Amino acid sequence: MNPPTTPTPRSAHAFAGIVTRSQRVKLVSVIAFHWGNDNLNVVPLETELLSVFRDHYGTSTFTIPVNPVNPNTDPHLALFRHLMNHADESAGPNTLRIYVYSAHSHDPEMRGRSWNLTGTLDPNAPVVNWWIIWPYLESYPGPVCYIFDTCSAVSAVFESYNWGEFLGASGWDTNVPAAHNTSFTRALINTLKDMRGENSPLATVYSRLIHDTRSARIAVFPINVSKPRTESVTIGNQDLPGRLAQAAIRNHIRVLLGVNIDSINDPRALDINFWKQWSPQVPGVQPGSIKVEAIYTGSPFVLFSISIEM
C-alpha cells in the first residue's frame, strides 16, 4: 500500500462552493486506540473520555491497544485489522464513527511522505503510518471524525485533505505536555461534561473548549479542521430519548455579569471556591444557570455568567 499523495500540508481550508448538510446521526460509535506500552499513561484519561461519550452522549465505545513490543506483530497491520473490523461492524449511512488516538507521533515536516504514530520516542521503535490507514476508514458509508491528542496533531491533514473532520491537540511542530491536568484530553472531557450531553456540532464543542481554555489551563492551543464544503458533524445520538436538541438548548444564551466586592474583610470574598459554592444557592435562579468565570483580586471583582432565556 502506498501513502496518499500529499502536497504541502496546511491546517485550514477555504469553504468554497456549496456547503452540504451533515448526515443525520442515529448512532455514534467511538473507538480509541493507544500503544500497549502506554508510557504516557494515557489509558486513565482515555477511559474517562469514553465514559463521557457513553454515559452523557449515548454512544457505543471501544478501545484497542497497539502492541509495539511483540516482535512477531506488525503494529501497522494489527491496527489496520482492528479498525477495519470495527468499521465492518459499526459503519452505516446514519452512524458517526469517532476515532480517538492518544500517544506519541513524529513530525513529518512540511513535505513529509508519512505521518508516523509511535509508542515511544526511540527512533527505532515500531511505527504506524496513519496516512495509509485513514483513506480505508473513509471508504465505508457514514460520517467520521478524528480526535487526536498527540504532538504536531495537525500533521494529520494537508492541502489536499478532503476527509473527515479533525480535532487535534496541537499545530505544526508543537509538543503537547505529558501532564494530564493541562492536557487537551482533560480539557475536552471537562467541556463535554459541561455541555451536559447536548447535541452539538464538533465545531461548537471546539469553540466551547477554546472559550474555556484559560480556566482549563490547557497548555497548547488545539486545532479544528472541518471537512471541506460540509457542515460540522454532530456529536451525540440525535434520536436518543430525552435528549435536548441543540436548537432547544440554544433558546438560552449566557451573559456575563460583573460584581464589585465592597468589602474584602471577609477572607471568603476572594476565594473562588466560596463563590462557586454560593452561586447554586441564589434564590429564584435555576441551579446550574450561574457559573463563576473568574475572580480578580486587584479590583476586587467577580465575573459570573448566567443563562438567560430568549
Side-chain angles (χ1 to χ4, degrees):
M1 293 182 290
N2 295 319
T5 303
T6 56
T8 304
R10 66 182 183 185
S11 59
H13 301 283
F15 285 83
I18 298 174
V19 176
T20 59
R21 299 190 65 83
S22 58
Q23 296 159 274
R24 181 169 182 81
V25 172
K26 294 184 178 180
L27 297 172
V28 180
S29 183
V30 184
I31 182 167
F33 53 100
H34 58 270
W35 290 86
N37 61 357
D38 192 26
N39 69 350
L40 291 178
N41 194 31
V42 301
V43 171
L45 276 181
E46 178 188 279
T47 301
E48 185 177 356
L49 177 62
L50 292 180
S51 71
V52 171
F53 274 119
R54 183 176 58 252
D55 300 338
H56 292 249
Y57 291 85
T59 74
S60 60
T61 59
F62 307 87
T63 183
I64 56 172
V66 182
N67 189 350
V69 178
N70 187 345
N72 298 319
T73 301
D74 179 347
H76 186 104
L77 184 58
L79 179 61
F80 181 84
R81 286 173 174 169
H82 280 304
L83 296 182
M84 292 303 103
N85 288 338
H86 170 262
D88 287 337
E89 297 175 0
S90 303
N94 301 115
T95 298
L96 169 65
R97 286 171 288 132
I98 303 176
Y99 296 94
V100 178
Y101 173 71
S102 305
H104 295 291
S105 66
H106 294 310
D107 186 354
E109 300 181 347
M110 293 299 289
R111 292 189 177 273
R113 300 295 299 172
S114 65
W115 184 42
N116 293 328
L117 312 181
T118 181
T120 76
L121 296 179
D122 182 345
N124 298 317
V127 298
V128 169
N129 182 2
W130 181 250
W131 285 350
I132 290 179
I133 291 179
W134 57 253
Y136 291 91
L137 301 178
E138 306 244 1
S139 67
Y140 288 81
V144 299
C145 69
Y146 307 94
I147 300 175
F148 275 44
D149 190 349
T150 185
C151 299
S152 301
V154 77
S155 301
V157 301
F158 37 81
E159 188 174 21
S160 61
Y161 186 81
N162 192 34
W163 306 96
E165 189 167 0
F166 185 86
L167 184 62
S170 58
W172 299 114
D173 194 23
T174 304
N175 294 326
V176 297
H180 286 189
N181 62 330
T182 58
S183 71
F184 162 75
T185 300
R186 166 51 58 199
L188 178 61
I189 289 170
N190 293 343
T191 298
L192 291 174
K193 285 182 176 179
D194 189 54
M195 296 179 76
R196 299 180 178 87
E198 169 189 331
N199 270 334
S200 290
L202 187 60
T204 299
V205 176
Y206 174 72
S207 67
R208 289 282 293 272
L209 189 154
I210 295 302
H211 176 269
D212 295 336
T213 292
R214 182 174 180 180
S215 60
R217 297 187 301 156
I218 189 169
V220 177
F221 202 78
I223 58 100
N224 174 239
V225 180
S226 299
K227 183 175 182 177
R229 298 175 297 279
T230 304
E231 287 185 346
S232 181
V233 297
T234 297
I235 302 298
N237 180 352
Q238 296 173 11
D239 292 338
L240 192 68
R243 178 175 299 283
L244 289 175
Q246 184 195 14
I249 293 179
R250 293 307 179 198
N251 286 334
H252 292 73
I253 63 170
R254 299 195 71 84
V255 297
L256 290 176
L257 177 65
V259 178
N260 286 312
I261 303 175
D262 292 333
S263 174
I264 59 172
N265 293 328
D266 189 332
R268 298 175 301 173
L270 300 180
D271 183 355
I272 193 169
N273 291 321
F274 165 75
W275 291 105
K276 288 181 178 180
Q277 294 171 8
W278 167 84
S279 58
Q281 305 173 25
V282 177
V285 177
Q286 185 176 359
S289 63
I290 297 181
K291 181 179 178 181
V292 181
E293 299 287 352
I295 186 167
Y296 300 91
T297 58
S299 301
F301 185 80
V302 181
L303 187 65
F304 300 94
S305 66
I306 185 169
S307 178
I308 302 295
E309 185 174 359
M310 295 295 291

